[in-house]
């Protein structure tokens, strides 16, 4: 009886959860063998029959054997191999002719493969880059047998370390070979011309001249060469080219190419750059405190997910609007757009197996999955308008359908202003003192502003003087770069002519030890003598202060003192990580003599 009642309660709880959920479980296949990310998912009516299919750029298990898959319902409709790993997939209209079936674009390596009716239609290749002239000269010498393979390898390695223009694929393959294989490789490739090719890192679409849903769109490509390319939808020629300070990894666009558009690019250096029409360089820059893991545009707000387990909202001019902390790391992001209710929200797949849906900073819904979700896609699938498609880390496929009666509300109540905003505040009556002060500010406003500005400038001047004094007296050592979290404190002991100099070096990071540091002293050799001008620093454990001792002998008998500069360097680098100036005292013994 007890077991029967327990099973009845469990089934009743499951039924109540199903009834309270906003989603219908349409399909779950943990063995679907789909390994991809959100940029390689797209939904489109590829045959013009009203039946929307799912396009998947599949990386394959372990990144091996990438394939292009098209799914109809839960089953794979077609499947074809890809020459390289896919970077992004997108569907777009190329022309206005009937029947208006969208084309499929798949970015893979240096090419964009365009399909119509699931048949190969066009292949666009990125333009080749000019090779390194020094590299070209070396291969010309190898072609004329003027240098041997070993010398060629040494000189190519030197070019790779110092040159701004990277080496070609041919040279990089040559540098990976063993000594016995080099001669055969040179004989095979020395007559071939050097080619340097970049690859596509991200791709999206931009409307050409109309904002309609079925309007013609252009392809926007981000490349490893720190460039953005906009392609013509019919001739596949480059309409415009834009340069970025870093390699783009996520793209978001709005507007039309022929009218006005904004383009946001999240790059590998942790910044987001905003570009507008007719601008070849970024107009605005958003500096993030961590690397971006996703970029979604919701109306006029750019929502960015970072590796610090947080979502951030920014305007198109870079102003930060809000921040939401996540309970786990963000794996993927995408847009949820419910057209029937005019709702746009952000979906974030987390490492703890949750998919969270946010409208601005308000949590709308939480979906729990059996495995961590690595890709998300929301839209019309089959003949259902609001379908959520998810793939998991283990290669599973999850399909959920939003109920037609589902309404998303914020966790604290209905969508809209808080109830407290409608409450009237009990504002106190104006006193005589308040009225007199208001009249005084009206009459002497200019003089009060001048007095405030004078005091503000004096405060800034005093702060600058105190800062310079701290630098000169070595009370606050200055870190030249922020690459290493180090803290240095110096103490001088003794009356002279021999002083004891103790350096207290501390690793201020939370958990990362630091190894391979050197301490170097710069001083006037006429006034001072040190046993060693530099010495190695042991492994610095986080949080501990390491005393490093040495002796300084004063050589002057005229009571002269000078500054000894301490530099903390990394082995093999000339730029100091930390520096401090030590004001040496006057030697009492020599002064008395």
């Amino acid at each position: 009886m007890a077991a029967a009642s327990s099973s009845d309660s469990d089934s009743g709880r499951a039924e109540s959860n199903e009834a309270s959920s906003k989603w219908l479980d349409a399909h779950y296949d943990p063995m679907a063998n789909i390994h991809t990310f959100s940029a390689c998912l797209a939904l489109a009516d590829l045959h013009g029959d009203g039946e929307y299919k799912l396009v998947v750029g599949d990386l394959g298990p372990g990144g091996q054997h990438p394939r292009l898959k098209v799914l109809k319902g839960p089953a794979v409709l077609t499947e074809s191999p890809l020459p390289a790993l896919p970077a992004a997939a997108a569907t777009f209209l190329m022309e206005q002719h009937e029947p208006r079936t969208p084309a499929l674009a798949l970015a893979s390596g240096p090419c964009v493969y365009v399909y119509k009716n699931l048949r190969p239609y066009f292949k666009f290749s990125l333009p080749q880059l000019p090779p390194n002239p020094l590299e070209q000269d070396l291969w010309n010498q190898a072609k004329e047998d003027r240098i041997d393979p070993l010398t060629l390898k040494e000189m190519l390695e030197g070019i790779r370390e110092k040159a701004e223009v990277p080496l070609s694929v041919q040279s990089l393959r040559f540098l990976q070979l063993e000594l016995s294989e080099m001669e055969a490789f040179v004989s095979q490739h020395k007559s071939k011309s050097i080619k340097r090719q970049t690859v596509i890192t991200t791709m999206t679409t931009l409307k050409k001249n109309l904002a309609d849903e079925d309007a013609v769109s252009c392809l926007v490509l981000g490349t490893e060469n720190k460039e953005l390319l906009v392609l013509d939808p019919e001739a596949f020629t480059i309409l415009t080219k834009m340069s970025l300070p870093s390699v783009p990894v996520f793209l978001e666009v709005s507007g039309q190419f022929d009218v006005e558009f904004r383009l946001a690019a999240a790059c590998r250096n942790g910044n987001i750059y905003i570009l507008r029409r007719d601008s070849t360089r970024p107009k605005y820059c958003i500096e993030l405190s961590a690397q971006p893991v996703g970029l979604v545009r919701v109306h006029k707000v750019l929502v960015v997910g970072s590796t610090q387990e947080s979502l951030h909202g920014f305007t198109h001019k870079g102003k930060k609007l809000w921040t939401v902390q996540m309970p786990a790391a963000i794996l993927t992001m995408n847009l949820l757009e419910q057209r029937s209710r005019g709702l746009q929200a952000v979906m974030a797949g987390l490492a703890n197996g949750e998919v969270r849906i946010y409208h601005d900073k308000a949590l709308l819904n939480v979906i729990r999955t059996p495995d961590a979700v690595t890709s998300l896609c929301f839209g019309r699938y089959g003949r259902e308008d609001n379908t959520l498609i998810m793939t998991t880390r283990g290669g599973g496929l999850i399909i959920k359908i939003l109920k037609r009666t589902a309404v998303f509300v914020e966790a604290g109540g209905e969508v809209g202003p808080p109830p407290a905003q409608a409450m009237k505040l009990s504002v106190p009556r104006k006193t005589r003192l308040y009225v007199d002060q208001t009249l005084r500010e009206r009459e002497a406003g200019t003089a009060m502003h001048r007095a405030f500005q004078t005091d503000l400038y004096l405060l800034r001047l005093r702060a600058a003087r105190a800062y310079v004094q701290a630098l000169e007296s070595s009370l606050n050592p200055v870190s030249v770069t922020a690459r290493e979290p180090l803290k240095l404190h110096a103490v001088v002991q003794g009356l002279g002519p021999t002083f004891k100099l103790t350096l207290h070096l501390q690793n201020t990071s939370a958990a990362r030890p630091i190894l391979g540091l050197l301490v170097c002293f710069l001083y006037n050799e006429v006034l001072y003598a040190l046993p060693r001008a530099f010495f190695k620093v042991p492994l610095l454990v986080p949080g501990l202060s390491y005393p490093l001792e040495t002796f300084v002998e004063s050589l002057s008998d005229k009571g002269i003192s000078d500054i000894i500069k301490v530099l903390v360097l990394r082995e093999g680098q000339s730029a100091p990580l930390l520096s401090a100036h030590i004001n040496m005292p006057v030697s009492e013994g020599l002064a008395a003599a």
Side-chain angles (χ1 to χ4, degrees), residues 432-542:
R432 182 65 185 174
L433 178 62
Y434 173 79
V435 175
D436 293 344
Q437 182 67 16
T438 305
L439 293 174
R440 174 178 170 271
E441 291 177 357
R442 287 180 181 177
E443 295 171 357
T446 305
M448 293 173 66
H449 179 70
R450 288 175 180 170
F452 169 75
Q453 290 293 328
T454 303
D455 293 341
L456 180 61
Y457 288 139
L458 287 175
L459 178 64
R460 291 174 177 172
L461 178 61
R462 289 170 184 165
R465 285 176 176 172
Y467 181 65
V468 172
Q469 184 179 1
L471 293 180
E472 293 178 347
S473 60
S474 186
L475 295 177
N476 185 21
V478 176
S479 176
V480 178
T481 61
R483 291 176 296 172
E484 299 292 349
L486 296 172
K487 183 179 179 182
L488 178 64
H489 176 63
V491 177
V492 181
Q493 296 173 315
L495 299 176
T498 301
F499 300 95
K500 183 179 180 181
L501 177 59
T502 306
L503 304 177
H504 296 275
L505 191 60
Q506 183 179 359
N507 177 7
T508 59
S509 68
R512 184 169 64 89
I514 300 178
L515 184 65
L517 299 183
L518 299 172
V519 173
C520 176
F521 298 96
L522 299 180
Y523 57 94
N524 191 341
E525 298 182 356
V526 178
L527 300 179
Y528 299 106
L530 275 77
R532 288 186 299 169
F534 74 96
F535 53 86
K536 291 186 177 182
V537 178
L539 173 71
L540 299 182
V541 178

Side-chain angles (χ1 to χ4, degrees), residues 1-14:
M1 292 292 291
S5 62
S6 175
S7 62
D8 291 342
S9 64
D10 291 342
S11 61
R13 192 180 301 111

Side-chain angles (χ1 to χ4, degrees), residues 270-298:
N271 294 341
I272 299 175
Y273 299 98
I274 313 296
L275 300 99
R276 302 185 68 176
R277 191 173 186 269
D278 300 329
S279 63
T280 57
R281 304 292 296 178
K283 187 174 180 63
Y284 301 104
C285 174
I286 302 173
E287 295 185 1
L288 304 176
S289 57
Q291 288 291 327
V293 295
L295 178 66
V296 176
R297 181 179 60 86
V298 181

Side-chain angles (χ1 to χ4, degrees), residues 12-13 53 71 76 186 195 238 245 268 363 414 481 516 522 564 567 581 590:
R13 192 180 301 111
K53 280 84 173 178
L71 278 72
V76 177
V186 171
K195 297 179 181 179
I238 299 176
R268 286 187 190 154
L363 177 63
E414 295 292 331
T481 61
L522 299 180
I564 294 181
L567 302 178
H581 291 200
L590 290 177

